[in-house]
């Protein structure tokens, strides 16, 4: 026992000393627990892209990138422990992949001066950079997602959802509740009625919810699910013979593992995606430089699937920002402060994505001091029974709906916490 | 060999009844207190405070609370998580409604609020006991979590249903923040230490006074206790009140000082009730020291294991997470087989052996 405590003590001290000479990207991953199915491919994609940069290009700007993984099991208390234990190593940016942990980290990272990138999750109103100086949620956020879904449905229904019913099946947590306000505004605007149906953590038990859906037969079911909840919901929808084309998931409810178990029965199920699918040159490079070299984070089977691609996309955005930070500061070994400034000046255009071997993986967007949220565009994809296929081009959200909500919510946060606007009036 | 009683004579009943009758124990206690209150705050950094010591202290309060109810009074409770949530939401409402209020008052008021809720849910204990009571308190757990999720007033109508703690000061005249991101590690630690010290001291004295003896009488045999004049209504409800007060304070601290933002279903779910129950079972039922030992075991061991497996041995994070389950589970079984009365009893036996050394019976 004494030996064990000694070991623990020494390693804690080692963890506390900053190790320079590499770019540290902590990955608060979860490879265990009820959300592991989504956490594993995302973490693999995130780690593999940095390994690719190290192997192929010798790092970013000549400095090796180091991914420090810490297992959170999607649990906020463990997430806090992970944050505290990794930030001392010179962490450049945090991507917790959990709305709960994001809420913990927003004030902490702001106080510590480390940027937080919550891509398509977390606190939506963090898109207002004036209030949230260190939090970024480009390229899209939940309120954009809700608006994109409604825009797509409008298009399918000749511009009118008058008298239609939409049921929102959501994970009963901060994550699932995020889109409610937007959908309520949209329902008033477009005249559809909204039913909110909550599913409790972790989401295996959905009998009652689907009984209600069977009874009420809403025209559309929109799902805000994650982890094991998605698979169960898809299966339940099949069981009650709900028309799968009218069942639409958000971008965390549209991965391969969500529908593979139901297979062909789930054909027709649609979901949003903030990154494009399909074969890209970068996957071949990852197979060549990372998997074949035996350096892959996982077993290599996830390459190219939805969440792997998104994890890789997240790593790509972080790496681009790091490169920009090196250019802006003129130093190879950047700090978290340089990283933040670069993230605020980030421009992702078609050429950049093409150059990285992932043409058109996401929408083109520009980050500014006021706008940390990107364009909010997303594509609609559909499960054909064997594969996810892309249905549409990038669809824009209705900013006139989401923007006032962002402003309102962030203003409330600023008032509660006494935050002054950080962007100079221009 | 260190435990010598030679020359340690008590000449009054008071001396005979003190918490640490052996001089060496007493000294150790004072040294530990001194180190905890005066030395540690100077040495502590963010990692030690936020990952180890603050959660340990907070869970120790919860364990003492549950130990009063279950260990001393024999009323099994699975509602700890729900009662902790009552503490947390009371502090949140107080913090946002009265911005001038200091953290000590907020935390104490949260404790009182939880005590009231605890008494309400303790009422069934007059009719039912054992497993049936466990189920009744389980209902409290689910009801309270559902309530805080369902009624938007509790989370001030925020979009996501999360509550987050604004920055508030230590005490009325002491303008040092203990909540929010700008709170210093030592301030958070000292704040929790203060509560742990006072509450543990109060608990120790309650349990050896009239009230505690009534609780233990009820625990050992309620009918006999009633015959010798213990009022079961009073004894059980005071146990629920005091226990809930402690649990509420710990729930409040967990939210305000430690986490800062909380989602009720996750942080105060049924797993929290089990965690605290395991703490007192492993630490030792009916022992204040056992509450500390159990909290240390359940909070510090997983972190120590993580540091050992991931940082020292370089294991894969997922693999080490699974190893943690196995090792912690195996250790729990080992301790309970070796000593079903928990770590406190183990420690007591070790002390006894040391006192007799080198001439055991």
């Amino acid at each position: 026992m004494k030996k064990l405590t000694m070991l623990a003590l020494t390693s804690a001290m080692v963890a506390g000393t900053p190790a320079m000479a590499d770019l540290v990207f902590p990955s608060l991953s979860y490879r265990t627990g009820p959300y592991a199915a989504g956490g594993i491919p995302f973490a693999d994609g995130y780690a593999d892209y940095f390994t690719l940069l190290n192997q192929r290009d010798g790092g970013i700007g000549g400095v090796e990138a180091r991914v420090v993984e810490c297992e959170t099991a999607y649990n906020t208390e463990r997430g806090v422990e992970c944050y505290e234990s990794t930030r001392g190593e010179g962490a450049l940016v945090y991507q917790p992949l959990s709305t709960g942990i994001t809420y913990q980290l927003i004030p902490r990272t702001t106080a510590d001066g480390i940027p937080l990138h919550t891509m398509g999750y977390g606190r939506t109103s963090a898109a207002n950079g004036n209030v949230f100086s260190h939090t970024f949620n480009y390229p899209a956020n939940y309120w954009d997602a809700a608006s994109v879904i409604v825009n797509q449905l409008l298009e399918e229904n000749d511009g009118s959802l008058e008298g239609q019913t939409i049921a929102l099946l959501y994970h009963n947590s901060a994550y699932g509740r995020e889109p409610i306000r937007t959908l309520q505004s949209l329902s008033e605007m477009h005249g559809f009625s909204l039913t909110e149906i909550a599913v409790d953590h972790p989401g295996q038990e959905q009998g009652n919810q689907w009984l209600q859906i069977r009874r009420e037969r809403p025209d559309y079911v929109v799902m805000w699910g994650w982890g094991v909840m998605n698979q169960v919901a898809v299966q339940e929808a099949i069981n009650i013979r709900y028309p799968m084309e009218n069942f639409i998931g958000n971008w965390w409810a549209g991965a391969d593992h969500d529908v593979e178990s139901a297979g062909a029965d789930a054909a027709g199920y649609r979901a949003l995606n903030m990154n494009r699918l399909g074969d890209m040159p970068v996957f071949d490079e990852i197979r060549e430089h990372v998997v074949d070299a035996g350096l892959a984070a996982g077993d290599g089977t996830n390459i190219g699937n939805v969440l792997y691609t998104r994890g890789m996309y997240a790593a790509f955005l972080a790496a681009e920002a790091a490169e920009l930070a090196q250019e802006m500061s003129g130093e190879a070994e950047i700090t978290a402060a340089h990283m933040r400034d670069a993230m605020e000046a980030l421009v992702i255009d078609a050429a950049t994505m093409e150059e990285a071997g992932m043409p058109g993986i996401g929408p083109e967007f520009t980050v500014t001091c006021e706008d940390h949220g990107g364009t909010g565009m997303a594509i609609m994809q559909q499960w054909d029974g064997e594969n996810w296929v892309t249905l549409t081009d990038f669809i824009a959200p209705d900013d006139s709906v989401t923007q006032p909500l962002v402003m309102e919510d962030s203003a409330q946060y600023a008032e509660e916490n006494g935050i002054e606007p950080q962007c100079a009036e221009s | 060999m260190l435990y010598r009683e030679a020359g340690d004579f008590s000449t009054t009943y008071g001396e005979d009844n003190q918490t640490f009758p052996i001089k060496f124990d007493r000294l150790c206690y004072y040294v530990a207190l001194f180190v905890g209150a005066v030395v540690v705050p100077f040495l502590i950094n963010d990692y030690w405070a936020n990952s180890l010591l603050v959660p340990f202290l907070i869970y120790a309060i919860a364990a003492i609370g549950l130990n009063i109810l279950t260990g001393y009074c024999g009323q099994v409770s699975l509602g700890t998580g729900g009662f902790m949530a009552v503490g947390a939401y009371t502090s949140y409402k107080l913090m946002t409604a009265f911005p001038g209020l200091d953290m000590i008052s907020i935390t104490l008021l949260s404790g009182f609020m939880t005590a009231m809720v605890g008494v309400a849910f303790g009422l069934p204990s007059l009719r039912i006991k054992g497993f049936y009571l466990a189920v009744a308190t389980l209902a409290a757990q689910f009801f309270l979590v559902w309530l805080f999720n369902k009624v938007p007033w509790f989370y001030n109508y925020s979009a996501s249903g999360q509550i987050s703690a604004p920055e508030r000061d230590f005490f009325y005249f002491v303008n040092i923040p203990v909540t929010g991101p700008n709170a210093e590690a030592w301030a958070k630690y000292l704040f929790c230490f203060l509560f742990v010290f006072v509450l543990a001291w109060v608990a120790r004295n309650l349990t050896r006074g009239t009230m505690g003896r009534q609780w233990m009488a009820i625990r050992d045999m309620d009918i006999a206790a009633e015959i010798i004049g213990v009022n079961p209504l009073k004894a059980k409800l005071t146990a629920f009140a005091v226990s809930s007060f402690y649990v509420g304070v710990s729930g409040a601290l967990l939210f305000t000082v430690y986490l800062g933002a909380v989602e009720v279903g996750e942080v105060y779910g049924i797993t929290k009730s089990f965690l605290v129950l395991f703490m007192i079972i492993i630490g030792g039922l009916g022992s204040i020291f056992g509450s500390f030992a159990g909290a240390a075991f359940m909070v510090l061991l997983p972190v120590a294991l993580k540091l050992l497996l991931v940082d020292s041995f370089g294991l894969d994070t997922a693999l080490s997470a699974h190893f943690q389950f196995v090792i912690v589970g195996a250790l729990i079984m080992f301790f309970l087989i070796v000593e079903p009365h928990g770590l406190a009893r183990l420690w007591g036996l070790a002390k006894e052996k040391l006192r007799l050394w080198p001439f055991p019976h």
Side-chain angles (χ1 to χ4, degrees), chain B residues 95-113:
Chain B
M95 283 167 107
T96 47
F98 306 101
L101 219 53
D102 64 278
M103 275 316 290
I104 290 193
S105 326
I106 287 175
T107 313
L108 289 177
L109 286 172
S110 308
F112 283 118
M113 185 70 206

mmCIF file of all heavy atoms in Angstrom, chain B residues 95-113:
data_model
loop_
_atom_site.group_PDB
_atom_site.id
_atom_site.type_symbol
_atom_site.label_atom_id
_atom_site.label_comp_id
_atom_site.label_asym_id
_atom_site.label_seq_id
_atom_site.Cartn_x
_atom_site.Cartn_y
_atom_site.Cartn_z
ATOM 1 N N MET B 95 -28.401 31.239 -3.838
ATOM 2 C CA MET B 95 -27.310 32.011 -4.436
ATOM 3 C C MET B 95 -27.826 32.969 -5.493
ATOM 4 O O MET B 95 -27.343 34.093 -5.617
ATOM 5 C CB MET B 95 -26.308 31.067 -5.107
ATOM 6 C CG MET B 95 -25.398 30.362 -4.143
ATOM 7 S SD MET B 95 -24.547 29.034 -4.991
ATOM 8 C CE MET B 95 -22.921 29.709 -5.117
ATOM 9 N N THR B 96 -28.798 32.530 -6.286
ATOM 10 C CA THR B 96 -29.275 33.396 -7.359
ATOM 11 C C THR B 96 -30.310 34.397 -6.852
ATOM 12 O O THR B 96 -30.398 35.501 -7.360
ATOM 13 C CB THR B 96 -29.890 32.567 -8.504
ATOM 14 O OG1 THR B 96 -30.764 31.603 -7.946
ATOM 15 C CG2 THR B 96 -28.823 31.866 -9.301
ATOM 16 N N ALA B 97 -31.068 34.026 -5.808
ATOM 17 C CA ALA B 97 -32.102 34.943 -5.329
ATOM 18 C C ALA B 97 -31.518 36.011 -4.407
ATOM 19 O O ALA B 97 -31.978 37.137 -4.379
ATOM 20 C CB ALA B 97 -33.206 34.173 -4.617
ATOM 21 N N PHE B 98 -30.494 35.659 -3.631
ATOM 22 C CA PHE B 98 -29.891 36.617 -2.696
ATOM 23 C C PHE B 98 -28.399 36.734 -2.979
ATOM 24 O O PHE B 98 -27.590 36.067 -2.334
ATOM 25 C CB PHE B 98 -30.100 36.162 -1.245
ATOM 26 C CG PHE B 98 -31.526 35.891 -0.897
ATOM 27 C CD1 PHE B 98 -32.008 34.592 -0.846
ATOM 28 C CD2 PHE B 98 -32.399 36.932 -0.635
ATOM 29 C CE1 PHE B 98 -33.332 34.335 -0.543
ATOM 30 C CE2 PHE B 98 -33.719 36.679 -0.329
ATOM 31 C CZ PHE B 98 -34.188 35.379 -0.285
ATOM 32 N N PRO B 99 -28.013 37.576 -3.920
ATOM 33 C CA PRO B 99 -26.603 37.640 -4.327
ATOM 34 C C PRO B 99 -25.671 38.068 -3.192
ATOM 35 O O PRO B 99 -24.479 37.786 -3.239
ATOM 36 C CB PRO B 99 -26.604 38.694 -5.438
ATOM 37 C CG PRO B 99 -28.015 38.804 -5.864
ATOM 38 C CD PRO B 99 -28.853 38.490 -4.688
ATOM 39 N N GLY B 100 -26.202 38.728 -2.171
ATOM 40 C CA GLY B 100 -25.326 39.202 -1.107
ATOM 41 C C GLY B 100 -25.014 38.153 -0.065
ATOM 42 O O GLY B 100 -24.156 38.363 0.795
ATOM 43 N N LEU B 101 -25.688 37.036 -0.104
ATOM 44 C CA LEU B 101 -25.540 36.028 0.943
ATOM 45 C C LEU B 101 -24.181 35.343 0.850
ATOM 46 O O LEU B 101 -23.670 35.097 -0.242
ATOM 47 C CB LEU B 101 -26.651 34.987 0.769
ATOM 48 C CG LEU B 101 -27.300 34.433 2.033
ATOM 49 C CD1 LEU B 101 -27.781 35.565 2.920
ATOM 50 C CD2 LEU B 101 -28.451 33.526 1.663
ATOM 51 N N ASP B 102 -23.590 35.051 2.017
ATOM 52 C CA ASP B 102 -22.272 34.403 2.004
ATOM 53 C C ASP B 102 -22.433 32.882 1.972
ATOM 54 O O ASP B 102 -23.515 32.353 2.236
ATOM 55 C CB ASP B 102 -21.481 34.808 3.244
ATOM 56 C CG ASP B 102 -22.160 34.309 4.487
ATOM 57 O OD1 ASP B 102 -23.097 34.987 4.944
ATOM 58 O OD2 ASP B 102 -21.796 33.234 4.977
ATOM 59 N N MET B 103 -21.348 32.206 1.664
ATOM 60 C CA MET B 103 -21.440 30.764 1.428
ATOM 61 C C MET B 103 -21.715 29.967 2.691
ATOM 62 O O MET B 103 -22.352 28.923 2.642
ATOM 63 C CB MET B 103 -20.159 30.252 0.764
ATOM 64 C CG MET B 103 -20.144 30.405 -0.730
ATOM 65 S SD MET B 103 -21.671 29.941 -1.533
ATOM 66 C CE MET B 103 -21.669 28.189 -1.332
ATOM 67 N N ILE B 104 -21.228 30.422 3.830
ATOM 68 C CA ILE B 104 -21.467 29.647 5.058
ATOM 69 C C ILE B 104 -22.960 29.621 5.361
ATOM 70 O O ILE B 104 -23.532 28.553 5.619
ATOM 71 C CB ILE B 104 -20.638 30.227 6.231
ATOM 72 C CG1 ILE B 104 -19.164 29.920 5.981
ATOM 73 C CG2 ILE B 104 -21.114 29.653 7.563
ATOM 74 C CD1 ILE B 104 -18.248 30.138 7.131
ATOM 75 N N SER B 105 -23.611 30.785 5.281
ATOM 76 C CA SER B 105 -25.053 30.795 5.534
ATOM 77 C C SER B 105 -25.794 29.975 4.491
ATOM 78 O O SER B 105 -26.716 29.220 4.824
ATOM 79 C CB SER B 105 -25.601 32.221 5.497
ATOM 80 O OG SER B 105 -24.688 33.134 5.972
ATOM 81 N N ILE B 106 -25.387 30.117 3.219
ATOM 82 C CA ILE B 106 -26.079 29.379 2.163
ATOM 83 C C ILE B 106 -25.996 27.886 2.424
ATOM 84 O O ILE B 106 -26.992 27.152 2.351
ATOM 85 C CB ILE B 106 -25.466 29.721 0.786
ATOM 86 C CG1 ILE B 106 -25.881 31.124 0.364
ATOM 87 C CG2 ILE B 106 -25.893 28.706 -0.269
ATOM 88 C CD1 ILE B 106 -25.235 31.587 -0.910
ATOM 89 N N THR B 107 -24.791 27.418 2.771
ATOM 90 C CA THR B 107 -24.614 25.988 2.964
ATOM 91 C C THR B 107 -25.407 25.500 4.167
ATOM 92 O O THR B 107 -26.045 24.439 4.110
ATOM 93 C CB THR B 107 -23.122 25.673 3.128
ATOM 94 O OG1 THR B 107 -22.410 26.346 2.094
ATOM 95 C CG2 THR B 107 -22.853 24.206 3.049
ATOM 96 N N LEU B 108 -25.397 26.288 5.250
ATOM 97 C CA LEU B 108 -26.152 25.865 6.434
ATOM 98 C C LEU B 108 -27.656 25.854 6.146
ATOM 99 O O LEU B 108 -28.356 24.909 6.524
ATOM 100 C CB LEU B 108 -25.853 26.792 7.610
ATOM 101 C CG LEU B 108 -24.447 26.645 8.193
ATOM 102 C CD1 LEU B 108 -24.218 27.665 9.297
ATOM 103 C CD2 LEU B 108 -24.234 25.234 8.739
ATOM 104 N N LEU B 109 -28.130 26.883 5.445
ATOM 105 C CA LEU B 109 -29.557 26.925 5.117
ATOM 106 C C LEU B 109 -29.943 25.741 4.227
ATOM 107 O O LEU B 109 -31.017 25.152 4.389
ATOM 108 C CB LEU B 109 -29.899 28.240 4.422
ATOM 109 C CG LEU B 109 -29.939 29.464 5.342
ATOM 110 C CD1 LEU B 109 -30.087 30.735 4.526
ATOM 111 C CD2 LEU B 109 -31.076 29.347 6.342
ATOM 112 N N SER B 110 -29.053 25.386 3.300
ATOM 113 C CA SER B 110 -29.325 24.221 2.451
ATOM 114 C C SER B 110 -29.445 22.974 3.298
ATOM 115 O O SER B 110 -30.303 22.122 3.057
ATOM 116 C CB SER B 110 -28.200 24.021 1.436
ATOM 117 O OG SER B 110 -27.957 25.187 0.741
ATOM 118 N N GLY B 111 -28.581 22.880 4.307
ATOM 119 C CA GLY B 111 -28.663 21.737 5.215
ATOM 120 C C GLY B 111 -30.000 21.702 5.927
ATOM 121 O O GLY B 111 -30.640 20.650 6.020
ATOM 122 N N PHE B 112 -30.468 22.860 6.402
ATOM 123 C CA PHE B 112 -31.742 22.879 7.128
ATOM 124 C C PHE B 112 -32.903 22.497 6.214
ATOM 125 O O PHE B 112 -33.807 21.772 6.603
ATOM 126 C CB PHE B 112 -31.978 24.260 7.753
ATOM 127 C CG PHE B 112 -31.164 24.488 8.980
ATOM 128 C CD1 PHE B 112 -30.225 25.494 9.040
ATOM 129 C CD2 PHE B 112 -31.319 23.656 10.084
ATOM 130 C CE1 PHE B 112 -29.452 25.692 10.173
ATOM 131 C CE2 PHE B 112 -30.544 23.838 11.218
ATOM 132 C CZ PHE B 112 -29.613 24.861 11.267
ATOM 133 N N MET B 113 -32.853 23.018 4.991
ATOM 134 C CA MET B 113 -33.909 22.678 4.033
ATOM 135 C C MET B 113 -33.946 21.163 3.821
ATOM 136 O O MET B 113 -35.017 20.539 3.836
ATOM 137 C CB MET B 113 -33.604 23.389 2.709
ATOM 138 C CG MET B 113 -34.670 23.213 1.680
ATOM 139 S SD MET B 113 -36.136 24.118 2.150
ATOM 140 C CE MET B 113 -37.359 23.170 1.300
#
